[in-house]
Amino acid sequence: MSIFYEELDFRPTPIGDLMLRRRRMPQFGDTDIYEVKLAEDFLMTSLFHEAESQLAIKGLAALDRGDLDVVVGGLGLGYTAVEALKDARVASLVVVDFLEAVIGWHQSELVPLGKTLNDDLRCSLRQADFFALMRNAPEKQLDAILLDIDHTPTNVLHQSNTHFYTEEGLAEMAQHLKPDGVFAMWADGAPEDFFAERLGLVFAETKAHTIEFNNPITGGTSVGAVYVAAGRR
């Protein structure tokens, strides 16, 4: 183990080898940087997470009421979930992740935001296949679903996820929302017109936000997309 690099967890999963690592880079001083890889995919870093935070901010901003029941698809390093919990209107937050190990990182507080999630009684973590849940009949209707799992609708972590991004899959997901509920989703890169148009086939109102953020690795800016859709047809 290098003083600048530590592998905190490594294990095989049904969708590839999963790694959690912590490292330091000279240009960031004593800051611990947490990173997650799945197989050959670099999933996330604690160095920049503005897009994940904006997913919760912009998704919940589309609702004008309180006592919100919210589901987050994808736990990761916890930034979307923690941002959602900053909204006092959220009454319950269920975070669904397919990978048991990711949930374990937070429950054992191996990652920095684990304690925040564990200490908030509104929050619960559920190990399950988010996409399978969306294909099933709703357990309850929700005010908001916030999704951050795949890179984009066409660049997915597993091919079984592709059905979700079809009109049929989005319509199945919409049944889990109250009639005026909100679906919001993060994707890498700039918004794509075809997906915004597809959301419009299922929801009455749609908007695609471009999120620009500083990327300290490249020294420039990077771009993410947050799609927000409200009022299922």
Side-chain angles (χ1 to χ4, degrees):
M1 181 188 74
S2 165
I3 191 171
F4 297 111
Y5 177 91
E6 183 179 6
E7 187 177 289
L8 299 177
D9 193 19
F10 181 90
R11 65 183 74 187
T13 80
I15 56 175
D17 290 339
L18 179 68
M19 177 193 293
L20 172 67
R21 63 192 185 192
R22 177 173 58 199
R23 63 180 173 134
R24 291 181 179 177
M25 301 173 68
Q27 61 267 45
F28 302 119
D30 293 335
T31 300
D32 284 331
I33 302 165
Y34 291 80
E35 298 172 332
V36 181
K37 286 190 67 180
L38 180 66
E40 298 305 313
D41 286 306
F42 183 84
L43 295 188
M44 62 204 70
T45 175
S46 61
L47 265 182
F48 44 90
H49 45 81
E50 181 63 21
E52 291 92 334
S53 298
Q54 287 296 322
L55 168 59
I57 293 169
K58 294 189 180 302
L60 297 181
L63 291 159
D64 61 1
R65 58 177 181 272
D67 295 322
L68 302 178
D69 291 323
V70 180
V71 162
V72 172
L75 175 54
L77 290 173
Y79 290 104
T80 299
V82 166
E83 193 67 49
L85 290 169
K86 292 179 184 178
D87 192 322
R89 299 175 301 154
V90 173
S92 71
L93 181 75
V94 179
V95 189
V96 179
D97 202 283
F98 180 71
L99 298 170
E100 184 178 359
V102 175
I103 292 176
W105 298 342
H106 289 269
Q107 290 176 331
S108 66
E109 301 180 7
L110 184 61
V111 289
L113 297 182
K115 180 172 174 54
T116 301
L117 298 180
N118 292 335
D119 288 350
D120 197 313
L121 297 180
R122 296 172 296 165
C123 181
S124 61
L125 308 181
R126 178 176 179 182
Q127 193 275 315
D129 182 340
F130 170 84
F131 299 108
L133 292 177
M134 294 299 103
R135 288 194 297 269
N136 295 336
E139 299 174 5
K140 64 181 294 186
Q141 289 193 314
L142 304 161
D143 295 287
I145 295 172
L146 311 176
L147 178 62
D148 178 5
I149 294 180
D150 292 312
H151 299 299
T152 73
T154 55
N155 183 6
V156 297
L157 297 181
H158 192 274
Q159 285 305 304
S160 62
N161 299 355
T162 56
H163 170 77
F164 177 85
Y165 303 100
T166 66
E167 182 182 353
E168 180 184 0
L170 293 170
E172 291 168 348
M173 174 272 298
Q175 297 306 307
H176 292 256
L177 290 168
K178 296 174 182 177
D180 59 349
V182 167
F183 169 65
M185 188 187 89
W186 170 89
D188 189 27
E192 298 184 272
D193 290 342
F194 87 90
F195 190 67
E197 292 169 2
R198 191 171 296 168
L199 284 170
L201 300 174
V202 178
F203 292 92
E205 300 177 22
T206 63
K207 187 168 185 179
H209 302 270
T210 299
I211 311 298
E212 292 190 7
F213 53 94
N214 293 328
N215 186 328
I217 298 296
T218 64
T221 59
S222 293
V223 172
V226 171
Y227 301 91
V228 179
R232 57 185 172 88
R233 294 188 184 276

